[in-house]
Amino acid sequence: MFGIVRPCSHRLGEGLKTQWMAHLCGLCLALRGDHGQFARIVTNYDGLLISVLTEAQVERAGGARRTAGPCPLRGMRTASVAQGDGARLAAAVSLVLASAKVRDHVADKDGLLARRPVALAARRVAASWGRAGARTGSEVGFDTAVLVDAVDRQLGIETLAGPGTPLLTVTEPTESATAAAFAHTAVLAGRPGNAAPLAEAGRLFGRLAHLLDAVEDRETDAASGAWNPLTATGTPLAEARRLADDALHGIRLALRETAFTDGRLAHVLLAHELARSVDRAFGTSRCGHGDDGEHGDPGAAGAFGPPRQGGPYDPQQPPRPYDGRNPYAGGGGPFDGGPSFQPPGSGRRGFWAGCAAAIGLCCTCKVCCADEFEGPWSRQRREGWCGNCDCSCCECCEACECCECCGCCDCGL
């Protein structure tokens, strides 16, 4: 599962979380229904925004939902899932972009794709996904050639880019692709007047997606020698952050100009959770619901407020001298006489034991819904796909069901 908009299930509230899961499962099942089980691997958080925007513009009809059968990722429970042209458009876009991504990794000879047999198989999968996405796109009236053209232009732009090249020149192909996909949701919903503001929102969302990916991969790319737009163009992080904040503001303005039937979920994802994605990528801690002057910066004093004066964690108090004794082993510590403390080993599972653990995680729904779960092979702690939460600063919003108190924008939500 990948994507930059990873909403906090605690913040969404029960109603919006149910809607979000309906679109996520709807995208997954649309991929399976039209293109087979293996296509479900391209399910992603950002692709379901297409489905969310389409449904937000239409009157909720009886055929907008259907009851899906039991699924291991839902703990073998049934669920109401989104269906229709919005989910199919999301599936088409996801397939075409995943196809382009695989071809890009093959061209770069990343990891196992440096081996010719693996690269050949990957090319065949990518070609199959590209054809499938184009077929589904044409069935809902969307020409996926604009996506393919954007991917092809991206490679040429990256080849020519260097120090001094404007960063927005590098992000333009991604912006064009997402603008076309967002605008087509207005066509599917029968709201042609929404096409222009949604195209603007999509263009800025594409810019953000490209920027955040570059920021998050900057150190890794530098270590491996891979191409990174920030490094290649010599763009400092401060300028990248300015562009990201401008894009966030532009998306909020575009949403104000869009006529929604029920735009609560779209607003929460694109105005609030997207802002938190920016903070997460840049390593900042700012409430996405207002400026720091109104709500304060929760990162300034920590999640539990400033340290108590005079306590053991008071920064004004001098540190206690170390007496040379190990408090976790025998020899004068508080646990004297007990067994010595040993750090835990890695405890990695073997291949078959890991497979069994992975099946157990899926069947109990921990991979999807738990806040944390233990990796089946590495046994390291990992965030659940839908359980990540960093909402310590937003008690004022009542789980974002409505945002009158936030004052982050004048959208009326």
Side-chain angles (χ1 to χ4, degrees):
M1 196 72 67
F2 56 95
I4 63 173
V5 182
R6 305 193 295 271
C8 169
S9 59
H10 298 76
R11 178 193 301 274
L12 286 179
E14 201 58 39
L16 293 184
K17 179 184 177 182
T18 300
Q19 289 186 41
W20 184 78
M21 287 297 299
H23 289 286
L24 182 63
C25 293
L27 170 58
C28 181
L29 294 176
L31 287 165
R32 185 199 67 178
D34 289 344
H35 311 293
Q37 290 282 359
F38 186 67
R40 300 170 80 176
I41 197 174
V42 306
T43 303
N44 65 93
Y45 293 129
D46 296 342
L48 68 88
L49 290 173
I50 303 291
S51 179
V52 170
L53 287 172
T54 303
E55 187 177 85
Q57 299 173 73
V58 299
E59 295 290 343
R60 183 71 63 85
R65 293 281 191 272
R66 71 177 180 88
T67 300
C71 174
L73 294 181
R74 292 192 300 267
M76 300 308 294
R77 296 190 296 267
T78 61
S80 176
V81 302
Q83 64 175 350
D85 288 345
R88 300 189 70 202
L89 175 61
V93 171
S94 297
L95 280 168
V96 173
L97 294 182
S99 170
K101 193 71 172 178
V102 170
R103 292 201 307 271
D104 183 56
H105 284 307
V106 171
D108 292 342
K109 297 181 179 180
D110 292 335
L112 290 175
L113 295 176
R115 301 180 180 180
R116 292 187 62 184
V118 179
L120 179 61
R123 287 193 190 97
R124 291 180 177 176
V125 170
S128 173
W129 282 349
R131 290 191 299 268
R135 184 171 62 252
T136 300
S138 65
E139 291 174 0
V140 296
F142 180 66
D143 186 4
T144 58
V146 66
L147 307 182
V148 177
D149 174 69
V151 172
D152 292 339
R153 285 189 295 110
Q154 186 73 53
L155 180 60
I157 291 173
E158 291 180 359
T159 302
L160 298 175
T165 301
L167 187 59
L168 297 187
T169 300
V170 179
T171 63
E172 183 276 326
T174 306
E175 295 178 19
S176 300
T178 51
F182 274 45
H184 196 70
T185 65
V187 177
L188 294 181
R191 295 284 189 97
N194 287 343
L198 285 178
E200 178 68 4
R203 182 179 68 83
L204 296 173
F205 179 82
R207 178 182 301 179
L208 269 177
H210 204 132
L211 283 174
L212 299 190
D213 182 66
V215 170
E216 291 177 343
D217 294 344
R218 191 169 62 104
E219 295 182 0
T220 304
D221 290 342
S224 63
W227 194 90
N228 185 282
L230 298 180
T231 305
T233 61
T235 304
L237 280 179
E239 175 63 11
R241 180 59 191 257
R242 185 189 69 80
L243 292 172
D245 288 339
D246 285 349
L248 282 173
H249 182 64
I251 288 174
R252 287 172 173 171
L253 293 177
L255 292 179
R256 289 176 57 183
E257 299 176 5
T258 305
F260 288 120
T261 301
D262 182 1
R264 289 182 303 161
L265 181 58
H267 169 73
V268 168
L269 296 179
L270 289 171
H272 294 270
E273 296 301 334
L274 191 55
R276 299 184 70 80
S277 299
V278 172
D279 288 333
R280 185 165 54 239
F282 284 92
T284 57
S285 179
R286 177 195 62 182
C287 181
H289 295 259
D291 57 21
D292 295 340
E294 179 181 354
H295 296 289
D297 183 359
F304 302 99
R308 186 176 59 186
Q309 296 299 318
Y313 303 105
D314 186 355
Q316 303 300 324
Q317 294 291 328
R320 295 180 180 178
Y322 177 62
D323 59 4
R325 295 181 298 177
N326 181 359
Y328 299 102
F335 302 103
D336 189 12
S340 62
F341 174 79
Q342 296 291 336
S346 63
R348 291 182 62 87
R349 293 188 179 96
F351 176 76
W352 294 113
C355 289
I359 294 173
L361 287 171
C362 289
C363 290
T364 56
C365 208
K366 286 187 176 181
V367 172
C368 184
C369 300
D371 289 340
E372 285 187 343
F373 66 93
E374 187 181 81
W377 287 277
S378 67
R379 306 192 74 167
Q380 296 178 357
R381 305 302 297 177
R382 302 183 185 277
E383 285 187 351
W385 291 351
C386 308
N388 57 318
C389 177
D390 52 356
C391 52
S392 60
C393 65
C394 295
E395 291 83 357
C396 68
C397 294
E398 296 297 333
C400 286
E401 289 290 347
C402 57
C403 298
E404 293 87 349
C405 67
C406 299
C408 68
C409 57
D410 298 323
C411 59
L413 294 174

